[in-house]
Amino acid sequence: MRVLREGVARLDYDDPDHTYQVTVPTVPRRRLEVPNDTIAEVGGIGIRLTSVEISSDVTVVIDAQDGSRYQEVLEAFQATYRRWESTTDRPMSRPPAWPADEFFGCIRLRDDVGTDYALRAGRAGGSGTEFECTYNFDPVPPVDAHSLRVDVVDHDVVGTVILNL
């Protein structure tokens, strides 16, 4: 690949008859203002919305609110993880699930013009982010949308935040 100018590259796959010119548009990032408090509770743990960013998709990040149930779940996970680390058959066994796995899939998006948002990718948990979930939704909100509704779902909607676009 050779960059011809910003946003344009040439790809050469050793095809004797063709090369490929790829144009990649610049997509601005918009970070929406999110509330700084608990928006719902799932499994006795408070859920907070940490960021919503619109670029080539809509990225929503949630995390758990520290509290007594949070600490219980975290300590139990850490103890289970330490036991798993110390086993001799560790390469043959799976590590314990991250606490975030309980929350993954609990976010739904809607806007004021009825756009159908679909979860395209995401991740849950990680070292130091045991309760964090990141969701990537398509498409981006249309230009005529004025608000984005983030629902937390635990069988039913248990929390909602409406964000200005």
Side-chain angles (χ1 to χ4, degrees):
M1 179 174 82
R2 189 174 108 213
V3 176
L4 302 175
R5 60 186 177 280
E6 185 175 338
V8 180
R10 184 183 72 148
L11 302 175
D12 191 339
Y13 293 111
D14 294 326
D15 180 333
D17 298 321
H18 301 91
T19 63
Y20 302 88
Q21 181 173 307
V22 180
T23 303
V24 180
T26 301
V27 178
R29 287 186 200 275
R30 291 187 316 161
R31 289 177 179 85
L32 304 183
E33 190 171 323
V34 298
N36 191 22
D37 56 354
T38 301
I39 61 170
E41 191 173 288
V42 175
I45 297 176
I47 303 295
R48 57 191 182 88
L49 184 62
T50 59
S51 70
V52 176
E53 180 180 283
I54 299 171
S55 57
S56 56
D57 64 7
V58 181
T59 302
V60 177
V61 181
I62 63 169
D63 204 347
Q65 185 69 39
D66 195 358
S68 61
R69 180 74 180 129
Y70 170 97
Q71 288 299 324
E72 289 171 20
V73 171
L74 181 59
E75 288 169 12
F77 166 77
Q78 289 171 335
T80 302
Y81 194 86
R82 283 190 300 274
R83 280 193 305 278
W84 173 79
E85 278 186 313
S86 66
T87 62
T88 56
D89 68 339
R90 186 172 56 154
M92 302 304 289
S93 65
R94 290 181 166 218
W98 297 105
D101 286 348
E102 181 177 343
F103 309 125
F104 195 75
C106 75
I107 295 295
R108 183 174 64 200
L109 294 185
R110 292 190 281 172
D111 63 31
D112 58 326
V113 296
T115 306
D116 186 23
Y117 292 94
L119 182 63
R120 178 181 52 82
R123 68 170 187 79
S127 182
T129 58
E130 289 84 0
F131 291 87
E132 185 180 274
C133 295
T134 301
Y135 303 85
N136 300 97
F137 292 94
D138 281 330
V140 297
V143 295
D144 56 339
H146 300 293
S147 64
L148 184 67
R149 178 179 168 149
V150 180
D151 289 329
V152 179
V153 180
D154 185 21
H155 304 292
D156 293 314
V157 175
V158 295
T160 296
V161 174
I162 298 176
L163 306 171
N164 292 324
L165 291 172

